[in-house]
Amino acid sequence: MGVRATSAGAPRVLNLDTLVRLERGLRTTSGTGPSRRLTVPEGMRAPLGCDAVVIPARLGPLLMPRLPRVGCVYADSTHWWWLVPSDSDVALEWPAPAHYATGALVPASPALPGLIHKPGGTLPYTPPIPLYLALCRLTGTPPAWTRPVSA
């Protein structure tokens, strides 16, 4: 099912994927101050786009050894940012205190977080499902698909 929209006189069908991307675009452009995007290191490519999962810095060292593959990780004194493919939050509720940053945007700050881990190869991603499961385990949060569904 799609929604019809007209642009320059030509009808266009907007499907659910398009509407989700438009909504995500609104989330990344609105906010309280200028945000900056984490950059993919030189020599790496991000064919799936980049988002980030942000966690408190105290959890970072506990999470790192629980993952089978670690992509690019950025950090400052308060947070760690894990690069994941775009849309890695679809159908997932990332457990608190984690935060999902669409577009890998860092809120206004004096400096961008520094790169503390760069994987071998050319892809900067930490696989999102192992990251999600490790975060759930670390925070004592059951994964979304194991929770009872209410009517």
Side-chain angles (χ1 to χ4, degrees):
M1 179 170 132
V3 175
R4 292 219 179 263
T6 57
S7 173
R12 191 170 58 143
V13 175
L14 302 176
N15 62 24
L16 185 57
D17 291 336
T18 304
L19 294 172
V20 167
R21 289 200 188 282
L22 288 171
E23 190 267 337
R24 286 174 189 275
L26 291 173
R27 273 194 279 159
T28 60
T29 57
S30 62
T32 56
S35 297
R36 295 186 288 171
R37 192 174 309 276
L38 293 172
T39 58
V40 174
E42 192 157 331
M44 299 192 96
R45 57 187 184 84
L48 302 175
C50 276
D51 288 345
V53 175
V54 186
I55 64 169
R58 65 182 164 74
L59 297 178
L62 302 172
L63 190 57
M64 187 84 80
R66 295 174 183 248
L67 297 170
R69 181 186 189 286
V70 177
C72 289
V73 181
Y74 299 80
D76 62 19
S77 61
T78 58
H79 294 96
W80 284 28
W81 285 260
W82 304 73
L83 289 187
V84 294
S86 291
D87 301 332
S88 292
D89 63 333
V90 172
L92 288 179
E93 295 173 30
W94 288 84
H99 170 72
Y100 193 84
T102 303
L105 292 175
V106 177
S109 62
L112 279 173
L115 181 67
I116 62 167
H117 184 268
K118 179 183 174 188
T122 60
L123 297 177
Y125 308 122
T126 296
I129 297 300
L131 179 61
Y132 173 79
L133 291 171
L135 268 170
C136 284
R137 184 152 191 113
L138 194 61
T139 61
T141 306
W145 56 81
T146 65
R147 294 183 218 142
V149 177
S150 61

